[in-house]
């Protein structure tokens, strides 16, 4: 099915002086101009193109890839404010409109804003900063431990409000964050919990049983390499823990607790000490 504002695979129908016409099925013939067509393009060949409306509101195809497509979220800069709204640079010759009615706050030229892209009732590709209007409209079907892509939206008292897979809201708690995050940052996260109210809790580091075992083994290896001592405690900062092992402080404390329970380490105010009998024979 052909869709406006997304990638479509269409067949080259014929060549003309100014480009190629693609078979748009019920949409008719769609022009792919010469300046965005591959040099070796042939009649009958299938090609992946992005469909949008040009400055004269005519349907047109391009091989260029915009920074955002319909159904997606991205941080884009405002390049102009006009009487119809704000225009964003999305990587195509014709800028992307954010109507005044879709602006959470008045947009300013030169600033970046997180926007959602969609096709409005008049069949225009437009964007909106009113993300709540467009996100979390379908039930979340994520499972515990699922790996997901996220975009950072806002910092809150709990941590960060993020967008999951371009369609749902989630929360990344501050004790799971080990580096500064900015609005628009794209990251990989893991589902911790899907709540009854639909809210989704996330963490940046997966904590499967296999990875937990790898972490305890890594801690033991580091202790043996450092003469049986490691200057990290449960009071060490999340940044220090992440710098040493690339995990959250919570995951580190769980691994240390398991090692202590198995009597493989001793906990002191100065750090971890390896129990002598776990040290390999010389």
């Amino acid at each position: 099915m052909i869709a406006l504002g997304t990638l479509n695979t269409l067949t080259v129908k014929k060549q003309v002086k100014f480009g190629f016409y693609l078979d748009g099925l019920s949409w008719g013939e769609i022009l792919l101009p010469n300046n965005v067509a591959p040099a070796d393009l042939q009649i009958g060949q299938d090609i992946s193109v992005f469909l949008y409306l040009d400055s004269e509101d005519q349907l047109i195809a391009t091989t260029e890839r915009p920074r955002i497509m319909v159904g997606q979220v991205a941080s884009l800069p405002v390049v102009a404010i006009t009487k119809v709204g704000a225009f964003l640079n999305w990587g195509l010759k014709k800028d992307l409109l954010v109507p005044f009615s879709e602006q959470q706050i008045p947009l300013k030229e030169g600033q970046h804003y997180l926007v959602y892209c969609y096709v409005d009732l008049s069949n225009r590709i437009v964007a909106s900063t009113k993300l709540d209007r467009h996100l979390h409209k379908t039930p979340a079907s994520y499972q515990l431990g699922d790996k997901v892509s996220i975009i950072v939206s806002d910092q809150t008292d709990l941590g960060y409000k993020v967008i999951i897979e371009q369609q749902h809201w989630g929360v990344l708690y501050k004790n799971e964050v080990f580096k500064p995050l900015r609005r628009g940052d794209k990251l990989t996260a893991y589902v911790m919990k899907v709540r009854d109210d639909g809210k989704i809790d996330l963490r940046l580091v997966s904590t499967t049983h296999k990875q937990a075992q790898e972490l305890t083994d890594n801690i033991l290896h580091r202790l043996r390499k450092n003469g049986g001592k490691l200057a990290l405690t449960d009071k060490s900062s999340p940044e220090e823990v992440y710098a040493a092992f690339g995990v959250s402080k919570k995951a580190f404390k769980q691994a240390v607790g398991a090692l202590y329970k198995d009597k493989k380490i001793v906990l002191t105010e100065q750090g971890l000490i390896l129990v002598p009998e776990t040290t390999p024979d010389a």
Side-chain angles (χ1 to χ4, degrees), residues 223 226 228-237 240 252 256 265-274:
L223 280 164
N226 292 344
K229 297 181 180 180
L230 189 61
L232 284 176
T233 72
D234 58 359
K235 292 183 174 59
S236 296
S237 71
E240 290 175 313
F252 175 75
V256 167
I265 63 171
V266 174
L267 309 180
T268 72
E269 291 185 359
Q270 288 72 40
L272 311 181
I273 302 218
L274 188 66

Side-chain angles (χ1 to χ4, degrees), residues 136 138-142 169 173 191-201:
H136 227 97
T138 58
S141 58
Y142 308 109
W169 286 116
Y173 292 99
V191 176
M192 290 174 55
K193 187 175 184 179
V194 179
R195 300 181 180 275
D196 293 337
D197 59 5
K199 293 181 180 178
I200 304 164
D201 296 344

Side-chain angles (χ1 to χ4, degrees), residues 5-229:
T6 64
L7 295 180
N8 299 263
T9 300
L10 303 180
T11 303
V12 179
K13 191 172 181 180
K14 64 183 180 184
Q15 184 174 7
V16 294
K17 184 177 180 180
F18 44 84
F20 296 83
Y21 277 106
L22 310 180
D23 186 0
L25 303 177
S26 62
W27 291 41
E29 296 179 342
I30 302 172
L31 177 64
L32 176 67
N34 279 327
N35 66 329
V36 291
D40 57 351
L41 189 61
Q42 301 291 325
I43 295 174
Q45 183 177 336
D46 288 343
I47 185 169
S48 177
V49 293
F50 180 79
L51 299 182
Y52 71 110
L53 302 179
D54 64 14
S55 57
E56 297 179 355
D57 288 334
Q58 297 296 313
L59 183 62
I60 195 166
T62 181
T63 54
E64 296 177 319
R65 298 294 185 257
R67 299 172 189 168
I68 190 173
M69 299 187 192
V70 167
Q72 295 181 350
V73 176
S75 179
L76 300 174
V78 176
V79 293
I81 304 294
T82 72
K83 62 182 180 181
V84 297
F87 282 90
L88 310 174
N89 179 0
W90 64 327
L92 297 182
K93 186 175 181 181
K94 180 185 178 183
D95 296 322
L96 180 63
L97 173 66
V98 183
F100 287 117
S101 61
E102 289 293 335
Q103 297 180 25
Q104 189 75 39
I105 58 173
L107 304 192
K108 296 181 180 180
E109 187 173 342
Q111 298 294 313
H112 281 70
Y113 296 90
L114 203 59
V115 297
Y116 178 87
C117 184
Y118 69 104
V119 177
D120 69 7
L121 295 177
S122 61
N123 211 37
R124 300 178 302 175
I125 302 175
V126 296
S128 173
T129 61
K130 296 183 177 181
L131 301 181
D132 283 329
R133 281 189 179 182
H134 305 282
L135 299 177
H136 227 97
K137 299 303 180 184
T138 58
S141 58
Y142 308 109
Q143 301 297 319
L144 178 65
D146 280 355
K147 183 179 179 180
V148 295
S149 61
I150 64 172
I151 300 175
V152 177
S153 176
D154 299 291
Q155 188 168 8
T156 69
D157 291 339
L158 293 175
Y160 294 88
K161 188 177 182 181
V162 302
I163 300 160
I164 306 171
E165 298 292 343
Q166 308 281 349
Q167 57 183 326
H168 294 107
W169 286 116
V171 177
L172 186 61
Y173 292 99
K174 57 186 176 183
N175 64 342
E176 298 289 343
V177 178
F178 328 107
K179 58 183 179 181
L181 298 181
R182 298 181 298 176
R183 187 178 176 88
D185 282 352
K186 296 180 179 180
L187 305 164
T188 296
Y190 300 86
V191 176
M192 290 174 55
K193 187 175 184 179
V194 179
R195 300 181 180 275
D196 293 337
D197 59 5
K199 293 181 180 178
I200 304 164
D201 296 344
L202 303 163
R203 60 163 47 108
L204 290 179
V205 180
S206 175
T207 54
T208 63
H209 175 74
K210 179 181 177 181
Q211 288 168 320
Q213 183 60 52
E214 288 176 350
L215 177 56
T216 57
D217 290 346
N218 195 7
I219 292 172
L220 288 175
H221 174 74
R222 192 74 62 85
L223 280 164
R224 290 164 182 154
K225 187 177 179 181
N226 292 344
K229 297 181 180 180

